[in-house]
C-alpha cells in the first residue's frame, strides 16, 4: 500500500502542473512579429549610420 502512495505523489504533481499550466496560459494572447521586427529595423538603421567623428575619438 505504501508503494501506491509513493506512486500517487508524482501523478498528483503532474496533474497539478498541468492544471497550473492551463490556468497560467489562459490570458496569453497571440502576438505577431510586428514589434520585434520594428525593433530590429531600428537596430539595423542605427548600425548602418556612419559616424562623422574622427577615428579613435
Amino acid at each position: 500500500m505504501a508503494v501506491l502512495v509513493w506512486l500517487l505523489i508524482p501523478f498528483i504533481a503532474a496533474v497539478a502542473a498541468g492544471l497550473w499550466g492551463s490556468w497560467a496560459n489562459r490570458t496569453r494572447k497571440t502576438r505577431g512579429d510586428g514589434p520585434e521586427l520594428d525593433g530590429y529595423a531600428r537596430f539595423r538603421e542605427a548600425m548602418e549610420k556612419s559616424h562623422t567623428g574622427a577615428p579613435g575619438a
Side-chain angles (χ1 to χ4, degrees), residues 7-50:
L7 290 175
L8 280 177
I9 292 172
F11 178 74
I12 292 172
V15 170
L19 291 173
W20 178 81
S22 299
W23 178 78
N25 201 24
R26 76 191 187 290
T27 58
R28 195 167 294 221
K29 296 178 183 173
T30 57
R31 212 172 72 172
D33 291 334
E36 288 82 7
L37 292 177
D38 292 340
Y40 180 65
R42 287 193 307 271
F43 170 75
R44 286 190 55 174
E45 288 172 7
M47 294 304 287
E48 289 174 356
K49 287 182 182 177
S50 63

